[in-house]
Amino acid sequence: MAAMFTCCLGCCGDGGTGHIPLKEMPTVQLDTHHMGTDVVIVKSGRRICGTGGCLANAPLHQNKSYFEFKIQSTGIWGIGVATQKVNLNQVPMGQDINSLVLRHDGSVYHNNAEKNRLPANSLPQEGDIVGITYDHVELNLYLNGKNMHCPASGIRGTVFPVVYVDDSAILDCQFSDFYHTAPQGFEKILFEQQIF
């Protein structure tokens, strides 16, 4: 009986400790396999510069997602959500059905139509943090932790966080360890295997 018990433990392939090594969960970051041809991604997949757009490496599967962008250097930029069909070499985004983005001028565009606009005295500046919530229907914007009451909707299908830059803009993405507390009910982006 003891020999059978030892054999059972010894057959686990871990030296008989009974522990199964867990895979490290991937980190949400900008995806260098889904970016424009003139985009540069640095800082471990968290900073974008150059010209063009980039998707994050995780779709927004959960019901309520939150993520942030810090404007390191102003220029032409946009942030929001997009499908994998978006043209990542096209700036600005929001010109078709595949992206819903806040642009540097405070306008929110989808399918070449302005869906909403930030108040004129609330345009993001260098050093500001723009937070985004998305619940599969509506995208909402936060400036330095304050709700801008600027909802927009219309995009359909599986979406990913998206960011684009041009004209010397540099943005940092924050997909966890946020600068500001996520709004109630919203949380960081989870990979699909983390949800179940």
Side-chain angles (χ1 to χ4, degrees):
M1 181 71 157
M4 187 169 81
F5 183 69
T6 304
C7 177
C8 184
L9 284 178
C11 294
C12 291
D14 63 0
T17 63
H19 296 285
I20 299 170
L22 297 176
K23 284 188 197 176
E24 185 175 314
M25 293 307 297
T27 302
V28 179
Q29 60 190 27
L30 295 175
D31 188 351
T32 56
H33 299 291
H34 291 98
M35 67 181 199
T37 54
D38 294 326
V39 168
V40 178
I41 304 296
V42 294
K43 293 192 89 172
S44 301
R46 289 190 46 235
R47 178 169 285 178
I48 183 171
C49 50
T51 298
C54 187
L55 295 174
N57 63 347
L60 303 179
H61 283 301
Q62 74 226 53
N63 290 335
K64 295 183 172 188
S65 304
Y66 178 75
F67 48 99
E68 296 175 334
F69 294 91
K70 182 173 185 178
I71 300 154
Q72 295 290 358
S73 181
T74 57
I76 296 171
W77 56 265
I79 54 178
V81 294
T83 69
Q84 284 189 319
K85 293 180 181 178
V86 70
N87 181 351
L88 296 169
N89 291 305
Q90 183 180 50
V91 173
M93 288 184 186
Q95 297 183 46
D96 59 23
I97 62 170
N98 296 310
S99 59
L100 172 62
V101 296
L102 167 68
R103 294 178 176 175
H104 70 282
D105 65 0
S107 61
V108 182
Y109 265 78
H110 171 67
N111 203 17
N112 211 28
E114 186 173 308
K115 296 295 192 172
N116 213 330
R117 180 174 281 279
L118 292 175
N121 62 349
S122 297
L123 295 181
Q125 304 296 318
E126 194 168 296
D128 283 345
I129 309 296
V130 180
I132 294 177
T133 59
Y134 185 71
D135 64 5
H136 293 279
V137 175
E138 195 170 77
L139 178 139
N140 277 286
L141 302 164
Y142 296 76
L143 182 59
N144 297 318
K146 181 182 176 192
N147 189 342
M148 292 288 97
H149 303 286
C150 187
S153 59
I155 195 164
R156 302 277 184 255
T158 301
V159 297
F160 296 72
V162 69
V163 56
Y164 70 81
V165 292
D166 196 10
D167 195 28
S168 302
I170 300 171
L171 273 69
D172 284 354
C173 308
Q174 201 68 29
F175 297 115
S176 62
D177 303 321
F178 302 120
Y179 292 99
H180 300 281
T181 304
Q184 186 172 358
F186 289 86
E187 61 183 335
K188 69 179 182 177
I189 300 165
L190 301 173
F191 279 90
E192 195 168 16
Q193 65 264 31
Q194 291 176 301
I195 295 173
F196 301 108

